[in-house]
C-alpha cells in the first residue's frame, strides 16, 4: 500500500539561459526572453511528492515538519532571492532551465531522504509551464 505526501513551496530567483559555446544569435533564437543579458526573475513554485509504505504505528510516511525543514535548507536557503547563474555553485556550469533546476533540486533532496522513500519534484516556472522529475 503506497501513499504519497506532498509539500508545496515557492522561491523567487533570477536567471539567464545561455550556452557559452553558441553564438549570441543562436542563444537568442533558442532561449528568447530568457536569454536577456541582464537576467530576469521567476516566481518558481515547487511541489515535492514523497511516496512509500507508511509506518502503521505512527500513521506517518514522513513527518512534514522534517520535509519542510529539508526543503527549506536545500532549496529556499540556497536559491530564494538569488541570481541562479551568479550566486549559486549549483548553476555555475549548468544552464538554469526549469528542467535543470528540477534535476538539481531532486538530487539535493534525494540525499536527505531515507532510501526507502521515492520522490518526485514538480517545478512551475510560470503558472502554465512546469517540469516533473522523479530521478529516472
Ligand atoms: Ni526565464
Amino acid at each position: 500500500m503506497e501513499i504519497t505526501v506532498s509539500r508545496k513551496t515557492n522561491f523567487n530567483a533570477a536567471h539567464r539561459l545561455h550556452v557559452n559555446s553558441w553564438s549570441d544569435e543562436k542563444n537568442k533564437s533558442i532561449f528568447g526572453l530568457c536569454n536577456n543579458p541582464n537576467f530576469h526573475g521567476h516566481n518558481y513554485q515547487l511541489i515535492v511528492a514523497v511516496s512509500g509504505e507508511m509506518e502503521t504505528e505512527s500513521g506517518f510516511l514522513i513527518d512534514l515538519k522534517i520535509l519542510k525543514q529539508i526543503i527549506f535548507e536545500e532549496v529556499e536557503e540556497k536559491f530564494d532571492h538569488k541570481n541562479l547563474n551568479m550566486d549559486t555553485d549549483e548553476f555555475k556550469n549548468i544552464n538554469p532551465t526549469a528542467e535543470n533546476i528540477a534535476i538539481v533540486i531532486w538530487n539535493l533532496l534525494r540525499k536527505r531522504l531515507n532510501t526507502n522513500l521515492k520522490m518526485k519534484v514538480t517545478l512551475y516556472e510560470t503558472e502554465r509551464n512546469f517540469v516533473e522529475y522523479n530521478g529516472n
Side-chain angles (χ1 to χ4, degrees):
M1 191 179 68
E2 189 178 282
I3 197 152
T4 301
V5 169
S6 300
R7 174 155 174 99
K8 229 186 208 180
T9 189
N10 61 281
F11 59 96
N12 298 295
H15 76 166
R16 182 194 189 197
L17 302 185
H18 189 82
V19 173
N20 289 329
S21 59
W22 293 355
S23 67
D24 287 350
E25 293 69 32
K26 183 170 179 181
N27 272 293
K28 205 170 174 189
S29 79
I30 301 287
F31 298 127
L33 288 173
C34 278
N35 182 240
N36 177 18
N38 291 332
F39 307 95
H40 61 278
H42 291 281
N43 183 13
Y44 292 96
Q45 190 169 74
L46 175 71
I47 300 167
V48 178
V50 176
S51 303
E53 298 281 327
M54 78 174 194
E55 194 197 305
T56 46
E57 221 176 18
S58 65
F60 269 1
L61 175 72
I62 181 169
D63 186 334
L64 274 164
K65 286 195 300 294
I66 293 170
L67 184 59
K68 174 187 174 183
Q69 184 62 24
I70 292 171
I71 294 169
F72 176 73
E73 289 170 16
E74 299 297 339
V75 179
E76 292 164 50
E77 279 195 326
K78 285 188 162 86
F79 304 137
D80 189 33
H81 285 72
K82 298 286 172 65
N83 178 315
L84 297 176
N85 304 72
M86 299 182 75
D87 301 335
T88 73
D89 292 335
E90 286 78 5
F91 297 101
K92 284 265 182 305
N93 300 306
I94 297 176
N95 200 25
T97 60
E99 290 89 332
N100 278 332
I101 298 170
I103 292 166
V104 163
I105 288 174
W106 188 91
N107 282 311
L108 288 167
L109 296 174
R110 181 68 270 176
K111 288 188 291 196
R112 301 285 304 273
L113 293 171
N114 288 341
T115 50
N116 61 332
L117 297 171
K118 291 189 268 183
M119 193 238 317
K120 181 176 94 172
V121 300
T122 305
L123 181 75
Y124 283 78
E125 190 169 73
T126 68
E127 251 175 70
R128 296 175 192 213
N129 298 341
F130 62 96
V131 171
E132 296 172 295
Y133 183 62
N134 66 8
N136 293 326

